[in-house]
Amino acid sequence: MLHPEKFHIDGISYSQTELIDFCQDAGEDTSKPVWKRDILSFIKLFLDPSEGDILQKTSGTTGDPREYLLHRESMIRSAQRTLDYFTLQPDDRALLCLPINYVAGKMMVVRALVGGLDLVTVEPSGRPLKDLDGSITFGAMVPLQVYESIQHGDDLSGIEKLIIGGGELSPSLIKKLGRMDSPEVYESFAMTETYTHFALKRINGTTPDDAFRLLDGIRIKQDKRGCLEVEIPGVTEGLVATNDLVEINSEGIGFKWLGRYDNVINSGGIKIIPEVLEQRIRDLLGHHCLVLSEGDAKLGDRLVLMVEYGDPNPPDDAWFELLHHKLSKFEVPKRIVTVGLIPRNLSFKPDRKAARRLL
């Protein structure tokens, strides 16, 4: 159940009745931007248990699109776990800069409602801090938002605690964040079925983590493929199977993420995990990239590298020379394709299906 005496949205306080009425009126105000009305519509929906469970769709970028029913009590328990972990207090400012149609956006709203936080709403974009006023206690972003913020000199230090999820962090971005004294930066691990993160990895400070650490009370194991299975009391119904390839540490309290089982490329009998190779290539070339595959009569599948590069004359020869020097012969792509922008979904994750269509 929700217990705050007051709810806070963009610095304005409401009783529960006042907030529901405000969301009803403002959600129907067509002069307000769609992203804002969608947030208010979700708040009204969440505060009305008579509406039943909340339908959530996945993006379909890591498998076939699916639908889930989100249970309010599970969302509340999950939100409380985050509030406790980060010792968030009523009136702390929580930044919502993720799309509300994804579970990560919904959970930031629920944390604010459960904890009496002041929910600061901005339009989801690559640069959420561009026009933001005031400091933020707690925020969540995807890697592209962090990258664009740093590239444009937007001040991340105005955030006290920042979690980053929804995609892989490049080694170069991790290095930049690792040199920052503030905010406290954590890479998060989550999926739709777990509502929000169940493991975090501190990537700056005096003792950064080298693997994800489980939050209290969470149990994990590996299936026969080497993929993660997770159980979260009060949230999941038993173990939830994933397609995430991991290495679990000897204590069983953390793990290293390797990539997605369904993205593995079998080229000439050699299995390549694209996400692992992409991190290395991004660090070498200094550009966002995807490792994809296409049919090959001899190899079955061959590697294709898609590089985000704006110039019409990319230095392909120099790239190939560098990759041949730094990678094994099985990891060097057979060809390189450049695009102005790598396809991404609404939560800024790389859209591998769309990228393959571009090939």
Side-chain angles (χ1 to χ4, degrees):
M1 298 298 293
L2 300 177
H3 299 294
E5 295 181 3
K6 288 287 184 178
F7 300 97
H8 313 280
I9 310 294
D10 292 320
I12 301 175
S13 298
Y14 306 85
S15 67
Q16 183 161 331
T17 300
E18 290 170 340
L19 182 55
I20 292 173
D21 290 342
F22 169 72
C23 290
Q24 174 69 42
D25 295 339
E28 296 173 353
D29 183 355
T30 56
S31 68
K32 293 186 179 296
V34 173
W35 65 267
K36 186 78 154 187
R37 284 185 278 143
D38 287 346
I39 293 171
L40 299 175
S41 295
F42 171 71
I43 293 174
K44 179 177 179 294
L45 172 67
F46 186 82
L47 292 176
D48 185 358
S50 68
E51 292 285 347
D53 293 332
I54 297 166
L55 183 65
Q56 178 64 47
K57 298 180 180 180
T58 64
S59 64
T61 56
T62 57
D64 294 331
R66 291 182 288 174
E67 294 182 344
Y68 296 92
L69 288 177
L70 302 177
H71 309 297
R72 282 175 181 76
E73 286 303 317
S74 294
M75 296 178 82
I76 290 171
R77 292 189 195 101
S78 185
Q80 190 63 57
R81 183 178 279 110
T82 298
L83 294 169
D84 293 342
Y85 185 89
F86 289 106
T87 62
L88 299 175
Q89 303 298 318
D91 298 323
D92 282 347
R93 301 183 82 212
L95 176 64
L96 172 60
C97 61
L98 302 173
I100 195 66
N101 55 318
Y102 285 87
V103 69
K106 289 181 173 67
M107 284 306 304
M108 186 60 79
V109 171
V110 176
R111 293 177 196 122
L113 297 177
V114 172
L117 311 180
D118 181 8
L119 185 68
V120 180
T121 64
V122 300
E123 181 177 8
S125 73
R127 294 179 61 192
L129 306 180
K130 182 180 178 181
D131 300 312
L132 185 66
D133 293 324
S135 61
I136 295 293
T137 311
F138 180 72
M141 295 185 189
V142 296
L144 182 64
Q145 290 175 312
V146 178
Y147 173 82
E148 291 294 331
S149 295
I150 291 175
Q151 287 293 101
H152 291 88
D154 299 335
D155 189 11
L156 286 172
S157 67
I159 304 175
E160 183 179 331
K161 299 169 183 177
L162 175 66
I163 59 174
I164 306 172
E168 306 87 60
L169 287 168
S170 69
S172 59
L173 185 55
I174 290 174
K175 288 179 182 177
K176 290 178 181 178
L177 293 169
R179 291 192 293 265
M180 294 182 179
D181 294 326
S182 61
E184 294 177 17
V185 185
Y186 299 81
E187 187 175 359
S188 67
F189 199 94
M191 62 193 72
T192 301
E193 299 94 322
T194 63
Y195 292 67
T196 189
H197 49 263
F198 57 87
L200 294 165
K201 181 168 65 174
R202 179 75 185 270
I203 59 177
N204 68 343
T206 56
T207 55
D209 297 321
D210 61 359
F212 287 98
R213 294 175 180 266
L214 296 176
L215 275 61
D216 290 343
I218 293 169
R219 186 169 70 90
I220 60 172
K221 59 180 290 191
Q222 282 176 293
D223 66 15
K224 62 183 180 181
R225 303 169 300 164
C227 292
L228 181 71
E229 294 181 326
V230 57
E231 182 176 12
I232 306 177
V235 176
T236 65
E237 297 179 4
L239 284 167
V240 174
T242 78
N243 281 329
D244 293 292
L245 294 162
V246 299
E247 290 180 356
I248 298 176
N249 61 27
S250 57
E251 298 86 0
I253 59 173
F255 60 90
K256 290 184 178 180
W257 183 80
L258 303 178
R260 294 279 300 181
Y261 182 83
D262 37 349
N263 289 338
V264 170
I265 299 170
N266 190 327
S267 181
I270 304 297
K271 291 185 178 181
I272 303 292
I273 302 175
E275 294 89 345
V276 174
L277 185 54
E278 286 161 4
Q279 286 189 5
R280 296 172 62 195
I281 294 177
R282 276 196 295 265
D283 210 29
L284 290 171
L285 303 187
H287 298 283
H288 291 291
C289 64
L290 287 181
V291 173
L292 305 168
S293 66
E294 62 184 2
D296 182 88
K298 180 180 179 180
L299 299 172
D301 283 300
R302 63 177 182 174
L303 302 185
V304 180
L305 180 66
M306 179 176 285
V307 181
E308 192 169 274
Y309 193 76
D311 194 302
N313 298 304
D316 288 359
D317 291 341
W319 285 346
F320 271 120
E321 183 177 354
L322 179 61
L323 296 179
H324 275 285
H325 181 65
K326 296 291 186 179
L327 304 177
S328 75
K329 64 178 182 179
F330 304 108
E331 297 171 324
V332 177
K334 300 303 181 184
R335 70 183 182 109
I336 297 176
V337 176
T338 57
V339 293
L341 291 173
I342 286 175
R344 298 178 184 275
N345 62 20
L346 291 176
S347 64
F348 306 105
K349 292 181 183 179
D351 189 333
R352 293 180 186 271
K353 287 184 179 179
R356 291 188 190 101
R357 287 195 293 269
L358 289 180
L359 295 183

